[in-house]
Amino acid sequence: MTSFGKITVFTVCFLLSVFLPSFGDEKQVLENENVYISLVLDSESQRVYIDEIIDKTNSNYISLFDNDERPAPIWGLQMEGKTNYLFSNNVRFIRWETPSNDQLGIVWELKNDSDLGDLRFTATITLKRSIYWDFSVEAIGRNPQSFNLQWLEYPYLGDLNPDDLNMVLPQGWGREYHNPGAFSGYYKYPTKDANMQFMAYYRQGNKHGLYFAANDSSGFQKLIRHNLIKSRNDPSRSNIRASIRTIPSVQKNSVSWQLPFPMEIRPFTGGWFEASRIYRLFVDGWKAPNQRNGINDWTFDNDLFLLVLAANVDGGKLMEPGSGRPLHEKLKTLMEDLDANTAAIHLNRWHNHRFDDNYPNYFPPKSGFEDFLAEMKSMNVKVLPYINARIADIDVANTESSIYDNASQGVSGDFFRVKHNVNQFLTMCPNTEYWQNKIRTISERLLKEYGVDGVYYDEVGTAPSYLCVNASHNHPEDQVYRLFSGNQAPFNFASGNRWTKAVNRLFNPEAVSMTEDNGEVYNADIHLMVNHELKIYKGGCNDFQEEPSTTIPLFPAVYSGKKQTLGFSRHYLAENGRTLPSCNGNIDVDFLNGGMFKMALNFLYGSHISWVSHTYLLENEGLRDYMKSLLQQRKVIRDYFNFGEMWFPPAVEMADNTARALIEEDLKLRGERVGKYQFFEDPLQATFWKYTDDDTQKFAVMITNFTQNEASANEISLRLPAGNYFEQDLSETERKKVKSNGEYVLKDVTLSALSVKVFEFERR
């Protein structure tokens, strides 16, 4: 179907189905001026499935579904005590309901189940600009029997034909996968694996696609699932079935339950950026914190963030590892080389025990700690010491029974254990008064007694969420299950208050909080978030096979102007969504080989150029010079990053005489090289930003050449709103008048090796 003539026929069928008996398969249609959706009831199997979705705003037919395959169910769920899942396909369809012209209800019932009794399931579909999906479960009958819902998967989106399909997942900065029909995966929210609540699929050619999201402003735990379903017509191929599994605020012994937020599906035309714009509309309504509202002003103007390891103490001074020089002297040299007036450091190993050992016993610090802080203050350097806000060492727990008493426990009563290096840890329950007071006390001592400038709370946004069922913990009264992380983040450390920026500042008026990763549910509690880059791999430690994908600035596109981020390191995911299992540990990447590209993306994505070891910078002159050029340019344009908004991505057409750049990175496991990762990128990378200064609207395209050779582009196309502008290369003083009809092209752009250029357009 390619025209809207067929839609008229569908509409007539819808009207007839309300008043006349149906013959054969029954089709129901909802449509408004924006979107069209048809659902079909298969008369033989009694299955209801999505037939077609059409974007009426631009006459695009969304041809993602493979109608020759077995249709996906509308929903699936799991009840406690049931070994099998319930699907809409194996309960009895009852009726359609049409409460209004823009709403459709679908009712199913389960009768005389030996465990659950009689249940009614109602899916409600509402049309606005998008398609919104609500769901409820109700115990019915003369003696309604209570139930315990564990999770709901709704709606299923499938089966999608994977040919020429791209997929976007909110992993780290964001990833666009170019062959999603080659792997399955599930990604837990909120973690580094899924830091936002949406995904999108679209055709590589015509860019017609579907956006799929949970509009949940409470941040309940979820699984974003991308499954492959074997074709019944061709066993050699598989189709895609996508879903978002919600693990809600579970109430025991319920007789009714309603999904507390709507799911959203919207057909759209475009790519990852257009999908991010839809989610940004939801975020705007979520009232995500805006950076102008009185937070951590010094971070806006800070020049440099560094990752610093304090080694041994010599003569009362913290020493730089391996150099024999006091740490503060090395930092002073680096700041002078980079022409940085201010800096901030994330300080590891400030305590006497080893890293990842003896938590949560951090005090007393190393003997040179206080002198080091005084040196840093004299150099205008802010210090954020590391602590882990999530875990406690089992060796400590064995001597302090209160740790076991306040650790998270699963349904089976087992503790959630994690391993870092050779040490075992317990995951603590953040709702307990014990753990809140423990982290609060550590923070208060650091901020008040030692006068640090903030605290780095490790593993908050990166680690998986767990359900704690220990009834003695201070879980919310209406819930037996409580997420380890989610809408009640583990920063509820202050009794009666959330551990917010304001609470932190009771100890130090300018103190900031920082964590790893960029989990959106912590936006109200954390100033600075470290972004990671994530990639999906198959194979073992010596046989890395990357699923074809591209790093994209998905998180900045949604949260630019709302959240400050810091640069990434790399993590790798196996096919099943977990760290490569055969590697027996995390994979680290040698920084030097990929350092230029990493810095380029830090700059272009509006992040603080950070998570960089000062040792690497001092040892590599080229890397240091490139960082200096980026930092100096960032000083000029940082209002775009702090208060602006990422705009539509530029289209860069490279010149024929500029080859793609090979990037090589050594893959290391516990310091030992286990392989090499190689990929190619265009030498010129660019992003486009929008910023309103008072009443003046400005746009800027940031372009950098991260290679050690000159690079040229024939043209860089910008989606610049129609109007008259002053164009200026910010490295020059000349401004010229230009006009845009909605698109503007920069011709013949050449950048020297390891350089950056910014063109600004000021609306007249």
Side-chain angles (χ1 to χ4, degrees):
M1 191 202 84
T2 56
S3 73
F4 278 94
K6 190 173 180 181
I7 293 178
T8 305
V9 176
F10 286 172
T11 306
V12 171
C13 290
F14 166 65
L15 294 174
L16 289 174
S17 69
V18 175
F19 300 107
L20 298 176
S22 300
F23 300 94
D25 292 349
E26 184 177 340
K27 180 174 291 188
Q28 295 285 337
V29 169
L30 278 178
E31 65 174 314
N32 60 16
E33 67 276 10
N34 298 310
V35 65
Y36 165 98
I37 180 172
S38 62
L39 297 102
V40 170
L41 169 65
D42 181 84
S43 58
E44 180 177 349
S45 66
Q46 292 291 288
R47 289 183 176 183
V48 176
Y49 60 92
I50 301 171
D51 180 44
E52 290 182 310
I53 296 175
I54 299 173
D55 184 354
K56 292 178 62 176
T57 62
N58 55 16
S59 301
N60 282 333
Y61 172 57
I62 309 303
S63 56
L64 301 186
F65 296 99
D66 191 334
N67 291 325
D68 293 331
E69 294 297 331
R70 181 182 295 105
I74 294 292
W75 55 263
L77 56 80
Q78 173 71 58
M79 293 289 191
E80 185 179 290
K82 292 287 288 186
T83 57
N84 297 321
Y85 306 150
L86 285 176
F87 292 100
S88 58
N89 289 350
N90 54 25
V91 296
R92 183 181 169 218
F93 170 82
I94 299 299
R95 62 180 176 272
W96 306 100
E97 294 181 339
T98 54
S100 65
N101 291 333
D102 61 358
Q103 201 169 70
L104 175 68
I106 316 171
V107 180
W108 298 263
E109 289 184 359
L110 177 70
K111 290 287 193 178
N112 301 319
D113 184 87
S114 58
D115 295 322
L116 299 173
D118 298 344
L119 293 175
R120 177 174 295 144
F121 311 92
T122 303
T124 305
I125 304 166
T126 305
L127 292 195
K128 294 180 182 177
R129 176 60 187 88
S130 299
I131 307 167
Y132 296 95
W133 303 73
D134 295 286
F135 191 85
S136 64
V137 185
E138 178 186 7
I140 58 175
R142 187 170 297 177
N143 296 302
Q145 185 173 323
S146 63
F147 58 86
N148 300 320
L149 178 67
Q150 290 190 322
W151 55 256
L152 169 70
E153 211 152 350
Y154 166 77
Y156 282 96
L157 190 59
D159 290 346
L160 305 181
N161 186 331
D163 295 342
D164 301 320
L165 201 64
N166 279 346
M167 174 179 67
V168 166
L169 289 175
Q171 299 172 326
W173 288 113
R175 293 217 69 79
E176 180 181 57
Y177 291 96
H178 310 303
N179 186 22
F183 65 93
S184 291
Y186 58 89
Y187 313 102
K188 186 173 286 190
Y189 170 92
T191 65
K192 66 181 185 298
D193 304 344
N195 51 50
M196 295 181 286
Q197 304 171 83
F198 78 99
M199 61 198 304
Y201 296 89
Y202 48 89
R203 291 280 173 229
Q204 295 171 9
N206 58 26
K207 297 289 187 180
H208 300 169
L210 290 171
Y211 163 89
F212 186 23
N215 290 351
D216 173 17
S217 57
S218 293
F220 291 112
Q221 186 189 46
K222 296 174 184 67
L223 289 179
I224 295 179
R225 294 168 59 85
H226 165 82
N227 294 323
L228 297 183
I229 305 298
K230 284 289 185 185
S231 167
R232 62 179 178 179
N233 297 322
D234 181 0
S236 66
R237 58 170 283 137
S238 298
N239 281 356
I240 294 169
R241 185 170 294 175
S243 60
I244 298 178
R245 177 179 293 184
T246 297
I247 303 173
S249 170
V250 181
Q251 296 181 349
K252 298 286 275 188
N253 302 321
S254 302
V255 292
S256 66
W257 177 86
Q258 178 143 0
L259 184 66
F261 52 85
M263 308 298 293
E264 179 180 2
I265 294 177
R266 181 186 292 195
F268 72 100
T269 299
W272 64 264
F273 186 78
E274 286 74 12
S276 78
R277 301 295 289 180
I278 303 173
Y279 194 71
R280 188 176 173 102
L281 291 174
F282 160 67
V283 166
D284 289 342
W286 191 356
K287 299 180 180 178
N290 188 296
Q291 305 218 91
R292 292 182 182 274
N293 295 337
I295 71 166
N296 54 300
D297 294 336
W298 68 260
T299 63
F300 291 148
D301 300 324
N302 186 62
D303 294 338
L304 177 65
F305 275 90
L306 293 171
L307 172 62
V308 174
L309 305 179
N312 60 311
V313 180
D314 188 355
K317 301 291 185 182
L318 291 184
M319 306 301 288
E320 199 270 341
S323 72
R325 287 180 61 189
L327 186 55
H328 76 274
E329 291 182 8
K330 299 276 288 199
L331 292 173
K332 186 174 182 178
T333 299
L334 181 58
M335 289 181 67
E336 290 172 351
D337 287 350
L338 295 175
D339 194 18
N341 299 319
T342 61
I345 63 172
H346 160 205
L347 183 64
N348 281 358
R349 302 181 188 174
W350 57 274
H351 35 75
N352 277 301
H353 50 77
R354 295 179 306 166
F355 184 69
D356 277 347
D357 191 18
N358 210 44
Y359 300 158
N361 296 335
Y362 296 92
F363 297 104
K366 288 176 178 174
S367 59
F369 182 57
E370 291 181 84
D371 287 345
F372 176 75
L373 293 178
E375 293 281 5
M376 293 297 97
K377 184 167 290 189
S378 70
M379 293 165 49
N380 206 15
V381 176
K382 308 290 187 181
V383 179
L384 287 77
Y386 170 103
I387 71 170
N388 196 303
R390 176 177 175 252
I391 57 177
D393 194 325
I394 283 182
D395 289 340
V396 177
N398 289 336
T399 62
E400 298 181 27
S401 61
S402 54
I403 291 181
Y404 274 103
D405 293 340
N406 292 278
S408 295
Q409 289 182 268
V411 175
S412 64
D414 294 335
F415 294 103
F416 296 105
R417 301 170 186 263
V418 295
K419 183 177 181 181
H420 293 313
N421 297 319
V422 297
N423 290 355
Q424 294 276 349
F425 296 86
L426 295 175
T427 296
M428 302 303 294
C429 178
N431 294 293
T432 61
E433 185 176 353
Y434 167 84
W435 193 245
Q436 291 173 13
N437 289 338
K438 176 68 72 173
I439 301 301
R440 177 187 171 92
T441 299
I442 296 169
S443 303
E444 185 172 6
R445 289 195 66 183
L446 284 170
L447 291 163
K448 291 179 67 175
E449 185 176 335
Y450 294 95
V452 302
D453 302 284
V455 181
Y456 177 89
Y457 300 101
D458 197 19
E459 295 198 5
V460 172
T462 192
S465 304
Y466 297 124
L467 295 169
C468 179
V469 299
N470 188 321
S472 68
H473 293 177
N474 188 31
H475 303 141
E477 291 182 1
D478 62 339
Q479 299 168 6
V480 171
Y481 295 102
R482 183 65 256 165
L483 302 185
F484 165 72
S485 54
N487 59 324
Q488 295 292 325
F491 291 122
N492 189 19
F493 295 142
S495 179
N497 295 285
R498 289 181 63 78
W499 183 248
T500 63
K501 293 173 280 288
V503 175
N504 218 356
R505 288 185 171 186
L506 291 175
F507 308 140
N508 180 335
E510 293 187 346
V512 302
S513 53
M514 174 178 167
T515 194
E516 166 198 40
D517 278 47
N518 48 327
E520 64 180 357
V521 295
Y522 307 107
N523 278 352
D525 300 291
I526 300 292
H527 295 104
L528 299 166
M529 292 180 171
V530 177
N531 281 25
H532 282 80
E533 182 181 13
L534 297 166
K535 297 187 177 185
I536 291 179
Y537 277 78
K538 295 180 182 179
C541 282
N542 296 294
D543 182 26
F544 293 97
Q545 304 169 42
E546 181 193 1
E547 295 298 349
S549 61
T550 305
T551 300
I552 54 174
L554 197 65
F555 193 85
V558 172
Y559 280 103
S560 53
K562 301 178 184 295
K563 199 71 224 164
Q564 291 194 67
T565 57
L566 294 92
F568 60 76
S569 56
R570 296 180 188 272
H571 281 236
Y572 296 87
L573 301 181
E575 185 179 12
N576 61 359
R578 292 175 290 193
T579 304
L580 287 165
S582 58
C583 298
N584 193 29
N586 289 325
I587 295 296
D588 300 318
V589 176
D590 188 300
F591 171 76
L592 290 174
N593 292 330
M596 307 296 189
F597 185 61
K598 165 182 170 161
M599 286 188 185
L601 296 193
N602 271 224
F603 171 77
L604 294 172
Y605 292 179
S607 167
H608 292 282
I609 305 171
S610 55
W611 212 256
V612 181
S613 167
H614 66 287
T615 304
Y616 288 133
L617 288 170
L618 285 167
E619 291 175 350
N620 190 296
E621 183 178 1
L623 195 66
R624 188 169 65 249
D625 290 345
Y626 183 45
M627 187 169 190
K628 180 177 179 178
S629 66
L630 293 175
L631 289 175
Q632 298 312 310
Q633 187 65 75
R634 197 182 193 282
K635 290 181 183 181
V636 177
I637 60 168
R638 57 186 164 205
D639 279 350
Y640 281 93
F641 299 146
N642 287 334
F643 308 116
E645 177 184 353
M646 182 173 278
W647 203 240
F648 291 86
V652 181
E653 179 187 302
M654 298 300 301
D656 292 339
N657 62 356
T658 299
R660 301 198 82 197
L662 172 64
I663 300 172
E664 295 184 337
E665 295 178 337
D666 285 336
L667 299 173
K668 293 184 176 181
L669 179 62
R670 296 186 296 277
E672 297 294 325
R673 184 181 179 277
V674 294
K676 180 170 285 189
Y677 172 52
Q678 298 179 330
F679 61 101
F680 289 88
E681 293 285 350
D682 287 335
L684 294 187
Q685 298 285 318
T687 53
F688 198 30
W689 289 75
K690 173 185 175 183
Y691 169 59
T692 301
D693 182 8
D694 296 327
D695 295 327
T696 303
Q697 193 175 76
K698 299 179 180 180
F699 295 83
V701 56
M702 290 67 165
I703 313 164
T704 187
N705 174 13
F706 67 90
T707 70
Q708 300 186 56
N709 300 299
E710 183 180 271
S712 299
N714 293 330
E715 60 182 41
I716 299 177
S717 300
L718 308 174
R719 190 163 168 178
L720 190 63
N724 297 314
Y725 296 85
F726 288 111
E727 177 194 325
Q728 181 180 355
D729 179 345
L730 291 186
S731 62
E732 302 173 356
T733 58
E734 180 185 358
R735 299 207 307 171
K736 63 180 182 179
K737 297 178 181 179
V738 300
K739 185 175 183 178
S740 171
N741 61 0
E743 184 180 46
Y744 186 75
V745 178
L746 294 169
K747 297 280 191 181
D748 302 322
V749 178
T750 297
L751 272 70
S752 58
L754 299 175
S755 65
V756 60
K757 189 181 287 284
V758 176
F759 292 92
E760 185 175 62
F761 301 86
E762 183 177 314
R763 200 160 200 167
R764 295 166 54 194

